Amino acid sequence: MWQSLDFLESLDKEKLALRSRIFISLHLTQFAPFLSNAIFSSSSSSLSLLSCSPRLPLIRTSHAHSLSIKASSSSSSTAIADPEGIKVNSVPTKPIEGQKTGTSGLRKKVKVFKQENYLANWIQALFNSLPPEDYKNGHLVLGGDGRYFNKEAAQIIIKIAAGNGVGKIMVGRDGIMSTPAVSAVIRKQKAIANGGFIMSASHNPGGPEYDWGIKFNYSSGQPAPESITDKIYGNTLSISEIKMADIPDVDLSSLGVTNFGNFSVEVVDPVSDYLELMENVFDFPLIRSLLSRSDFRYKLFVFDAMHAVTGAYAKPIFVEKLGAKPDSILNGVPLEDFGHGHPDPNLTYARDLVAIMYGENGPDFGAASDGDGDRNMILGKGFFVTPSDSVAIIAANAQEAIPYFKSGPKGLARSMPTSGALDRVAEKLKLPFFEVPTGWKFFGNLMDARKLSVCGEESFGTGSDHIREKDGIWAVLAWLSIVAHRNKDKKPGEKLISVSDVVKAHWATYGRNFFSRYDYEECESEGANKMIGYLRDLVSKSKAGDKYGNYVLQFADDFAYTDPVDGSVASKQGVRFVFTDGSRIIFRLSGTGSAGATVRIYIEQFEPDVSKHEMDAQSALKPLIDLALSVSKLRDFTGREKPTVIT
């Protein structure tokens, strides 16, 4: 059983000690590189919605067809020292360019990962990068968002894990397990789980012509730190062979254990452990009382799973546990191509939900999550809650509305591009506050050091220290808890407090940070990089007091961060122009895409005047938006006339 805060904090000292051991090991230990060549076929069939009804585990031997693995050179594979009961082949391979991870793993087009040994090289390079004691005879978790190529990839990962001496792989049924759930399972199984693989390209589209991704989370459930990912990349440049177990493919369609000598694969229910954790974090009876009120209009609540992984979690949590109507789940069947959609929960791509929420008789509460379940969007009736406001409002209400925070948050943090709304909450509540680079791994160190409880990114990521990933369903439950708490004493027939009421009350207390993000997706990398280079040169020549139209510069820099826990430094994290009135313009290249470059421009302006809080954000920010486009010369460098997405 979960043990609430005491259990969730029990990893912290172990993790800090482990980080020191990893750092030393990575710099002193030399590993022989390995790899192989994989040829496989893939199916484009859709995944059906997972059933969460209990099933008895089975002990079985695998009977599925084997994935073909062959050497990438004229040299044939050779048998090497085997784990007990398993034959392991050493298969020659060669380095492949372009395997450096971004802010959250390695992401490329499916056709790239299907190249000979592309995935296998990276997986073997990972094992070559870890201290053997972190995986030998240990347990690893494997999950994914259900996208195209996951089934084939899972078999490759399992065989390489067995070949490198891993004792057990725990994999979600059909290879499905959300990113937050993988983190939760790793943390629950802390005595035996050494980390886990997540097969996902997050919010990017799926299918044969689209995106795939892989990342590794360490023993506290957080994404691998840069000390590990840098080592992986270095090993991809020198890899020469793979350790590949000669075992058949494993049937991942039903719960049970398959044994191969001392190695085993356990297929687990992807929902149960995560659901148990959510019941310990939130007051489910309180939320159920909101969703069951007779004075809410039809379809009070709508959740759009976007045909992604949270379709497997929505019915068990929102319908079966919390009493929402079955038809309140939109696009609830996980599909390998996300129903030909783009599983990014924003106003552009979650168009089905937006149309419902902005309709004449729209529901009171709407939410969506992304491909792997770690992002979220919150909507009221005809009202959009920006991610920057969302994390600030959750933090401001956490102690009174969410049992997990009954003693109050330890600290708050946001990514640098996220608006300063959270800063104002931290100041009012007298809580420690941290500004970190984009990438959830930067929050993990602070959590392990017990410095941080609630955090978020403007890119629709919100979370807390209950796990070490952002968590889409957690954010939805947090908002339902806040609305339920505000209405718990309302009698039938009394006017209820809505999502928009909660937001406007927050603005009245803290002021409003008008915020917008312009995304220019799949720009030519050369032009995008030249633009950032130009801006960095401009920053180097700037000084306080410089005039930019009606704005006076306070400072300009290329954001750098020194981790207060381990002293590591992250540089070149985004070009900032900060003005004397608190307004900001920020320019970044995103590391979450699979092709080209995504240019992101962030614009923010603080407004304390309540009479101006209901202005349209684009209207309020227009002078700054025009200034950002002019200063960056974006059109000249990229050729783009309009952004792909405006948030």
Side-chain angles (χ1 to χ4, degrees), residues 242-367:
I242 279 185
K243 295 177 180 178
M244 179 71 67
D246 187 5
I247 59 176
D249 287 1
V250 179
D251 178 10
L252 304 182
S253 64
S254 59
L255 305 182
V257 179
T258 302
N259 293 308
F260 303 97
N262 285 349
F263 174 72
S264 64
V265 177
E266 182 179 4
V267 180
V268 300
D269 176 4
V271 178
S272 58
D273 283 345
Y274 178 79
L275 172 56
E276 184 181 345
L277 175 58
M278 292 300 100
E279 289 184 288
N280 278 274
V281 171
F282 297 101
D283 184 346
F284 269 37
L286 174 66
I287 300 173
R288 189 178 182 91
S289 71
L290 172 72
L291 297 182
S292 62
R293 288 187 67 117
S294 61
D295 52 350
F296 273 101
R297 59 177 66 93
Y298 175 68
K299 274 193 173 181
L300 150 77
F301 166 80
V302 176
F303 177 77
D304 187 355
M306 303 189 79
H307 286 304
V309 72
T310 52
Y313 296 76
K315 183 179 178 182
I317 295 174
F318 296 123
V319 177
E320 295 173 5
K321 284 288 184 179
L322 296 175
K325 296 177 181 293
D327 61 356
S328 66
I329 308 303
L330 191 65
N331 300 317
V333 178
L335 301 175
E336 289 190 333
D337 63 356
F338 307 117
H340 302 290
H342 190 144
D344 193 354
N346 59 44
L347 296 173
T348 299
Y349 294 124
R351 58 180 65 89
D352 292 346
L353 177 65
V354 172
I356 291 171
M357 296 304 299
Y358 281 79
E360 184 177 351
N361 296 307
D364 296 280
F365 189 107

Side-chain angles (χ1 to χ4, degrees), residues 436-625:
V436 307
T438 297
W440 210 257
K441 57 193 172 188
F442 295 104
F443 295 126
N445 278 6
L446 297 169
M447 291 177 180
D448 289 337
R450 302 188 182 189
K451 295 178 179 290
L452 174 61
S453 292
V454 178
C455 53
E457 298 178 333
E458 50 69 39
S459 53
F460 295 87
T462 321
S464 83
D465 59 349
H466 69 290
I467 58 172
R468 295 299 184 265
E469 288 278 6
K470 49 186 175 280
D471 191 343
I473 287 180
W474 175 91
V476 177
L477 293 172
W479 265 94
L480 286 171
S481 297
I482 292 168
V483 175
H485 180 77
R486 294 289 183 93
N487 288 293
K488 66 178 182 178
D489 296 324
K490 295 286 185 179
K491 296 178 181 179
E494 290 185 343
K495 184 180 183 302
L496 299 176
I497 296 172
S498 67
V499 169
S500 62
D501 291 334
V502 171
V503 175
K504 291 173 184 178
H506 182 88
W507 290 342
T509 301
Y510 294 94
R512 180 177 181 184
N513 288 74
F514 283 101
F515 181 87
S516 187
R517 188 182 87 190
Y518 278 37
D519 288 6
Y520 298 81
E521 297 176 350
E522 297 190 357
C523 295
E524 290 293 333
S525 295
E526 182 180 0
N529 285 319
K530 284 183 177 179
M531 187 192 82
I532 295 297
Y534 165 77
L535 288 168
R536 285 173 175 154
D537 182 62
L538 188 62
V539 162
S540 69
K541 300 173 182 176
S542 67
K543 60 183 183 301
D546 286 350
K547 293 289 187 67
Y548 287 78
N550 294 326
Y551 298 91
V552 178
L553 188 69
Q554 181 177 344
F555 71 87
D557 67 1
D558 196 350
F559 180 63
Y561 173 72
T562 300
D563 193 302
V565 177
D566 62 16
S568 60
V569 177
S571 58
K572 297 184 177 181
Q573 296 296 311
V575 177
R576 300 187 295 179
F577 292 83
V578 180
F579 301 102
T580 53
D581 66 349
S583 300
R584 298 191 305 162
I585 301 173
I586 298 164
F587 303 88
R588 283 185 65 247
L589 298 185
S590 171
T592 60
S594 65
T598 295
V599 176
R600 287 183 172 159
I601 304 177
Y602 311 82
I603 308 100
E604 177 186 5
Q605 180 170 294
F606 177 68
E607 180 53 71
D609 187 346
V610 176
S611 68
K612 298 179 180 179
H613 284 173
E614 295 195 43
M615 287 182 63
D616 174 73
Q618 296 304 309
S619 298
L621 294 170
K622 189 177 186 307
L624 272 174
I625 293 169

